[in-house]
Amino acid sequence: MVSTTSSYSQSRYRVSVNEGFDGVVRVATGGHYATGALLFGGQAVLTAAHLFAGHPLSASVHFETAWGVQTLSSSQVLLHPGYVGDGNHDLALVWLSRSAPVGADRYGLYRELDLAGQRFDLVGYGRPGTGATGVVEPAPPTYTRLKAQNTFDAEGAQLKSALGALMGWSPVRGSQWMADFDNGLAANDALGRLMGRNHLGLGLDEGFMSQGDSGGPALVGGQVAGVASFLASLSLGLVQPDVDKVSNSSFGEVGAWQSVAFYQQWIDQSLRASHVGAPSRPEDVRKAVPEGQDGTSVVFFLLQFTGVRASPDQWLSVDYATRDGTAKAGEDYLATQGKLILYPNETQAVIPVEIIGDRVAEPDEVFYLDVFNPVGGSFGHGVTVLTGMRTILNDDGGMW
């Protein structure tokens, strides 16, 4: 992600706070580090499982926001159950010991399966370098968050079909998306030369993953579409696109990102299983909650499906978004939006929203959650939107 087309010292590659990337974090364990993305709810970071290979299932997570640099420890680390180190299922969730800093961006999941031709933002803490020379040796003493862009060219199983045994791993179909590091020259267009997916890159905006970027997000429209996993220098006979024939994040190499859409069920259900105090019955739902005095706390909205599925394996979904009342997003609560999916055998799930604590006396305030666009079910005849309301209770004294 931070191996760039031109010098990585250029301002175009630097990440400033408050530009939408403050939820991209550095995750460290056992003397190693990777990158991750903070998910909506502020409790968990999505990263790569291979960071924890041979290391304890614990981590420290480093945030850089307008509020400064903060480090939180993990309370739990969960690896995808299918991960065995062969390049597949390379995902991990890191739960934080307390809620993430208010200034850190939260990200939703990009749920479209077909990413071919999709341009994405890459952000990470990996070792800097350029496409012409590869990563800097030795590694710089400081960690710098950089950004660039790239384009997904092909699905991993398609590349395996083109290369066969010459490719040293076998992606589960649909689970990985591939991008190469282009410099505008056909000679170094790896996926163009290896499988006919011709694309010469994005000029100076082009970038690529490097050591330390593992687990970093590929962001499409501000949502996590892929998780950086590994890179390779590939050849097919006399076709050798890599400019220096070494796996060092240089032009002509190929990278793999785990597809978030492919793994969305595991991610969603793992997050749901971790919610502390989430209601499972309507009578348990708290419709008024204390504001708190610092950080964030979570209030839940419970969605239940009482109809009958067309088939047992049908997925049901709704879209949702918070909306201001007297409470204002960014001041009193953290805005959230996305899609909630009820998977087979599920009839209910919660949507968490974070309340921002402070020490300022103010009136009780309300905000709303709108639920709309049901797929696989309906809200009833003529009903297009369901709305829930929550009251944030002042707990800082004062007279109103």
Side-chain angles (χ1 to χ4, degrees):
M1 291 184 196
V2 294
S3 185
T4 49
T5 297
S6 187
S7 172
Y8 56 86
S9 63
Q10 290 189 11
S11 60
R12 70 186 305 128
Y13 303 122
R14 296 280 174 165
V15 174
S16 300
V17 296
N18 288 333
E19 61 175 310
F21 301 129
D22 291 351
V24 178
V25 299
R26 184 167 60 88
V27 183
T29 185
H32 297 269
Y33 79 95
T35 301
L38 178 67
L39 301 180
F40 272 130
Q43 304 293 318
V45 168
L46 181 63
T47 187
H50 73 254
L51 170 65
F52 300 97
H55 302 290
L57 292 182
S58 63
S60 58
V61 180
H62 305 272
F63 292 85
E64 289 185 78
T65 73
W67 296 28
V69 178
Q70 295 170 269
T71 299
L72 300 181
S73 60
S74 65
S75 62
Q76 178 188 3
V77 175
L78 178 67
L79 308 187
H80 189 282
Y83 176 71
V84 294
D86 62 353
N88 288 308
H89 316 303
D90 187 14
L91 293 176
L93 284 166
V94 177
W95 274 273
L96 303 173
S97 55
R98 59 184 175 87
S99 59
V102 172
D105 296 290
R106 278 76 164 152
Y107 304 106
L109 307 184
Y110 185 83
R111 298 180 185 274
E112 299 298 322
L113 288 167
D114 188 0
L115 290 174
Q118 182 68 64
R119 184 167 174 165
F120 60 95
D121 292 304
L122 305 92
V123 186
Y125 283 90
R127 291 171 58 180
T130 66
T133 62
V135 294
V136 171
E137 298 285 357
T142 59
Y143 303 104
T144 303
R145 186 169 54 186
L146 298 179
K147 63 182 178 182
Q149 295 186 330
N150 207 308
T151 304
F152 287 121
D153 295 304
E155 189 265 320
Q158 295 170 334
L159 179 59
K160 179 67 175 181
S161 178
L163 297 183
L166 295 175
M167 183 167 140
W169 73 100
S170 298
V172 173
R173 183 168 299 278
S175 70
Q176 295 176 16
W177 281 91
M178 318 301 296
D180 56 15
F181 196 6
D182 291 304
N183 59 1
L185 301 177
N188 304 116
D189 178 14
L191 294 175
R193 299 191 66 192
L194 294 173
M195 60 180 304
R197 299 297 175 92
N198 302 297
H199 188 274
L200 298 183
L202 303 172
L204 291 176
D205 290 335
E206 182 94 354
F208 197 62
M209 68 171 75
S210 67
Q211 184 179 356
D213 288 318
S214 294
L219 295 168
V220 175
Q223 297 178 312
V224 183
V227 174
S229 190
F230 55 90
L231 58 85
S233 177
L234 299 175
S235 61
L236 181 62
L238 297 178
V239 177
Q240 298 180 322
D242 190 348
V243 293
D244 56 14
K245 313 301 185 291
V246 178
S247 294
N248 60 353
S249 302
S250 59
F251 289 132
E253 295 181 19
V254 174
W257 282 257
Q258 305 293 320
S259 168
V260 164
F262 183 88
Y263 291 106
Q264 60 185 302
Q265 182 173 352
W266 176 75
I267 297 170
D268 285 338
Q269 292 183 327
S270 296
L271 293 175
R272 291 170 192 171
S274 73
H275 290 317
V276 176
S280 59
R281 302 177 304 168
E283 54 266 35
D284 296 331
V285 173
R286 299 177 65 192
K287 297 183 179 181
V289 293
E291 176 186 57
Q293 298 195 336
D294 55 32
T296 67
S297 56
V298 176
V299 62
F300 295 101
F301 292 81
L302 176 65
L303 182 76
Q304 293 183 315
F305 175 69
T306 58
V308 178
R309 282 178 161 88
S311 64
D313 59 351
Q314 182 185 18
W315 290 16
L316 311 174
S317 70
V318 293
D319 296 327
Y320 62 88
T322 50
R323 174 167 53 89
D324 285 354
T326 52
K328 305 303 180 185
E331 299 177 10
D332 304 301
Y333 72 97
L334 294 178
T336 185
Q337 61 181 7
K339 184 183 294 292
L340 181 144
I341 298 175
L342 293 178
Y343 299 101
N345 299 316
E346 286 186 327
T347 57
Q348 64 181 35
V350 295
I351 299 170
V353 179
E354 293 178 83
I355 306 301
I356 301 174
D358 62 37
R359 298 176 185 271
V360 178
E362 54 194 337
D364 295 344
E365 298 169 310
V366 301
F367 72 95
Y368 305 96
L369 182 84
D370 294 326
V371 178
F372 50 95
N373 190 29
V375 176
S378 72
F379 298 148
H381 180 70
V383 180
T384 59
V385 179
L386 297 178
T387 299
M389 185 181 78
R390 294 293 180 268
T391 301
I392 303 174
L393 301 173
N394 171 58
D395 57 3
D396 297 302
M399 297 280 295
W400 304 102

